Amino acid sequence: MMSRSFQRLALAGALAGAGLLLATGPAEAGNKPPKTVPVRLLALNDFHGNLEPPTGSSGRMVDENGATVEAGGAAYIATHLKQLSDKNTLKVAQGDLIGATPLISAAYHDEPSVEFLGKVGVTASAVGNHEFDEGYSELRRIMRGGCHPVDGCSPAGEWKGADYTYLGANVIFKRPNASAEKDALTAFGGQDTASLRALLKDYGIPALPPVTVRWMNGVPVGFIGLVTQSTPNIVTSEGIKDLEFIDEVKAANVASRLLKLVGVKAQVVLVHEGDQVTAGQSPDACSAQPGAGNRIATQVDAEVDMILSGHSHQAYLCTVTDPQGGKRLYSQGGSFGRVITKVDFQVDVRTRDVVRSSVVADNQVVTRTVTPDPEIAEFVKTWKDRVAPVANKPIGRITADVTNTASASGESSLGNLIADGQLAAARTGGNAQIALMNPGGVRASLAYAGSAAGEGDGVVTYGEAFTVQPFNNLLQAVTLTGAQLKTVLEQQFTGGPNAQPFTKILQPSSNLTYTYSTGAPWGSKVSNLKIDGVGVTDSQTIRVAANNFLVGGGDAFLAFKDGADLWSGPLDIDAFAAYFAANPSITPPVPDHITVTP
Ligand SMILES: [Zn+2]
């Protein structure tokens, strides 16, 4: 069995066989306006397990009036969804619903978040890159159910699987996989198997359901799910080693043909890729800089009626031009459950296609001025109580705020602290001499005041540390030559092979110092590399500690993959906690290990 969505599509196929789809009856007399039926979509993206109202800037949003308001939280989302729902409503999402989540969700492999999204009626979602954080087989468990192979069942008992369908039309098995191919062909059985087989031959064998169909008011609406093709650069490689993430446009066009094959012409792309906007804009404005999201929105087949996006955590409503010159919606709804995108449109009951001129979209801020939904509030409280003994456990103290704010060199105090902790944990066992931490993995700052009630005295709890390091990456160490280490550091900058989209300065342990020149060409930016004050030669070998994401070449730091003698140690969060245990009162490191020259 591939999945429930394939079954649903097979159902659509069966109905087509029964003549219920796209019946070509006698031409209608006269010029009567087409009879249409309404459909409403309510869409979320990049929820990232924020069951509790997110705090700080992650919990604020600029609203339609330009005011900054508090937004997000599962119980508020539930209330807003109820208020926005009518009998024509389908609820969908655009990925990163799980992964990089707060402890309340992460401690239970995000089962609480997936259950919540099912409870509020989400019916289909694109996978995001973060859905692959724990690997493809764990994603399949989240989709289908069963207890975690290592950690067992959660306190709620055996996991029943997601109530919604995860879609990923551009996620393809690298090698032929007979059983998956059989699943795909069987699910479409009764349809044109020869043409389906031809389609799959050109396209590959999908590792996830590419499409799903929902019926509303007697018309089928097809959803195509896509995830950023950059996923292999931003997800730990081991968990997705059997998968290929192909061009989103190519995959969407195949999926669109699949839908058309079963007579589904109202087509919605849910894509986990998006663009940047001007800071502070209204969530309903379109200032999106044309980028990876816009490319997809403008280039996918004109049969697709709208593109709901994600990944860049921005809110926007744009109208773009499809390849045949038609206008279509391209939207995104921020992140962390702060915005719901409402899309209303009419479907022509004869052609079963979306009347493009009828599409009206509105980004609705999930304000906290409404009454939180009592059932969901209770659900969140249950999980909060379950995780409290773990979350509230003090692990150490800080003498002042330790922030992830980048200094002029790109280092941050917290990034340096994490690297120091990694080095300490990887010295014995891994024989590490230095450590490097990816800046994107430092997800929050540590506040002296803390977040738990009764704090304010520099106490750091496990929950706070987890908010900083939520990925459960493994700490590893590899041997690099001095020349390879220098290449890693050059790969921080744009302009090289497999270039960074923007400069990403790896956070160094305190004993690693060097200089980089902003003006020097790529390949000769880094100089004066020293470990413990001693200059590094090209031929010497160095044991470098980093998380398994970087060691696997993540964030385009491909030179890490040349490392030898791999050692795997503890989870990164455990290494961080151990560093607090060994250093009970930590003064924030000064982020001055890197010197910048013009
Ligand atoms: Zn993402």
Side-chain angles (χ1 to χ4, degrees):
M1 259 316 300
M2 193 70 186
S3 84
R4 273 174 285 180
S5 68
F6 268 126
Q7 283 181 317
R8 289 202 183 101
L9 193 58
L11 175 68
L15 289 167
L20 291 174
L21 262 138
L22 285 183
T24 47
E28 286 183 47
N31 292 324
K32 280 190 294 185
K35 184 169 167 6
T36 64
V37 291
V39 177
R40 172 172 291 181
L41 302 181
L42 297 176
L44 280 171
N45 59 276
D46 296 85
F47 175 61
H48 286 292
N50 280 273
L51 294 169
E52 292 186 86
T55 57
S57 61
S58 300
R60 291 191 289 270
M61 192 74 210
V62 174
D63 71 9
E64 284 100 330
N65 305 315
T68 300
V69 299
E70 301 215 297
Y76 298 105
I77 294 171
T79 298
H80 281 276
L81 283 175
K82 260 182 201 160
Q83 289 179 353
L84 293 169
S85 292
D86 62 17
K87 61 181 178 18
N88 312 312
T89 300
L90 294 167
K91 294 164 193 159
V92 295
Q94 293 95 256
D96 277 10
L97 306 177
I98 59 174
T101 50
L103 193 61
I104 185 175
S105 182
Y108 309 104
H109 297 281
D110 287 323
E111 290 171 18
S113 293
V114 177
E115 187 175 349
F116 155 68
L117 292 160
K119 276 179 184 290
V120 293
V122 171
T123 183
S125 177
V127 289
N129 50 296
H130 280 288
E131 265 76 11
F132 295 91
D133 279 354
E134 294 186 45
Y136 173 65
S137 56
E138 169 63 3
L139 172 59
R140 298 252 293 194
R141 185 187 73 84
I142 286 295
M143 292 164 70
R144 296 169 161 205
C147 295
H148 190 272
V150 174
D151 295 338
C153 297
S154 86
E158 180 163 347
W159 174 238
K160 292 181 182 65
D163 285 337
Y164 54 92
T165 308
Y166 264 126
L167 304 171
N170 64 326
V171 188
I172 304 295
F173 283 116
K174 273 182 186 162
R175 283 173 291 279
N177 176 325
S179 104
E181 183 176 23
K182 194 161 155 271
D183 279 347
L185 290 169
T186 310
F188 288 105
Q191 282 300 297
D192 185 346
T193 307
S195 62
L196 180 67
R197 201 177 275 278
L199 202 58
L200 291 178
K201 195 175 175 202
D202 172 47
Y203 163 66
I205 302 301
L208 293 166
V211 298
T212 193
V213 177
R214 297 291 179 272
W215 288 77
M216 178 54 70
N217 293 327
V219 295
V221 182
F223 294 93
I224 299 167
L226 301 168
V227 59
T228 171
Q229 61 178 309
S230 71
T231 296
N233 294 333
I234 50 180
V235 166
T236 301
S237 54
E238 177 63 22
I240 54 167
K241 63 182 190 307
D242 297 331
L243 306 179
E244 196 181 340
F245 293 77
I246 66 170
D247 175 54
E248 302 95 345
V249 173
K250 180 190 169 184
N253 290 349
V254 173
S256 174
R257 276 159 57 203
L258 268 177
L259 287 171
K260 224 173 152 179
L261 198 67
V262 291
V264 179
K265 295 186 73 189
Q267 298 187 359
V268 177
V269 158
L270 306 172
V271 56
H272 189 76
E273 179 62 278
D275 293 321
Q276 298 299 323
V277 300
T278 308
Q281 72 149 37
S282 160
D284 295 342
C286 173
S287 65
Q289 301 295 315
N294 183 275
R295 182 188 77 91
I296 298 162
T298 54
Q299 291 186 6
V300 297
D301 195 286
E303 192 66 66
V304 170
D305 297 294
M306 59 196 74
I307 288 88
L308 312 187
S309 75
H311 188 51
S312 58
H313 292 200
Q314 307 295 331
Y316 49 81
L317 299 176
C318 295
T319 303
V320 297
T321 306
D322 73 29
Q324 286 181 19
K327 299 293 177 202
R328 65 185 170 197
L329 172 68
Y330 167 46
S331 69
Q332 190 177 158
S335 61
F336 308 138
R338 292 175 295 175
V339 175
I340 294 165
T341 304
K342 181 180 80 161
V343 188
D344 284 308
F345 56 90
Q346 299 286 324
V347 179
D348 184 317
V349 296
R350 189 182 58 83
T351 65
R352 294 194 162 165
D353 208 347
V354 171
V355 180
R356 292 279 182 95
S357 59
S358 72
V359 178
V360 178
D362 190 9
N363 270 333
Q364 305 266 337
V365 175
V366 176
T367 58
R368 297 183 197 154
T369 48
V370 297
T371 307
D373 181 87
E375 187 206 336
I376 297 299
E378 186 59 34
F379 174 80
V380 173
K381 186 180 178 300
T382 302
W383 286 102
K384 194 179 170 166
D385 291 347
R386 283 172 175 154
V387 82
V390 185
N392 297 337
K393 197 170 160 240
I395 60 166
R397 301 169 75 93
I398 47 177
T399 60
D401 291 352
V402 192
T403 74
N404 63 354
T405 310
S407 68
S409 66
E411 303 165 80
S412 72
S413 180
L414 187 49
N416 290 160
L417 177 64
I418 289 169
D420 284 342
Q422 292 187 339
L423 177 57
R427 268 194 200 278
T428 27
N431 296 315
Q433 295 163 269
I434 59 168
L436 290 167
M437 172 65 193
N438 56 308
V442 188
R443 302 296 280 196
S445 296
L446 283 178
Y448 180 80
S451 58
E455 281 193 57
D457 51 0
V459 171
V460 176
T461 64
Y462 183 82
E464 288 163 352
F466 189 87
T467 305
V468 174
Q469 292 252 272
F471 291 104
N472 282 321
N473 281 322
L474 285 176
L475 183 58
Q476 298 187 321
V478 285
T479 301
L480 295 178
T481 64
Q484 288 167 336
L485 174 61
K486 189 169 172 298
T487 304
V488 166
L489 297 177
E490 290 289 337
Q491 287 175 341
Q492 299 176 118
F493 303 99
T494 57
N498 196 53
Q500 294 288 359
F502 51 88
T503 297
K504 289 178 186 160
I505 298 299
L506 295 170
Q507 311 290 296
S509 53
S510 306
N511 63 339
L512 174 67
T513 59
Y514 65 93
T515 300
Y516 71 75
S517 158
T518 52
W522 193 93
S524 51
K525 287 181 170 291
V526 174
S527 61
N528 202 23
L529 198 52
K530 289 181 182 172
I531 296 173
D532 296 313
V534 180
V536 172
T537 66
D538 279 359
S539 58
Q540 83 176 88
T541 58
I542 304 151
R543 293 290 289 167
V544 182
N547 60 39
N548 60 316
F549 168 71
L550 275 181
V551 170
D555 260 352
F557 286 100
L558 295 184
F560 259 113
K561 294 173 84 170
D562 298 327
D565 301 321
L566 175 72
W567 170 83
S568 269
L571 288 175
D572 55 1
I573 178 65
D574 291 344
F576 196 41
Y579 193 65
F580 275 99
N583 301 275
S585 183
I586 286 176
T587 306
V590 180
D592 62 354
H593 312 321
I594 305 169
T595 306
V596 186
T597 62

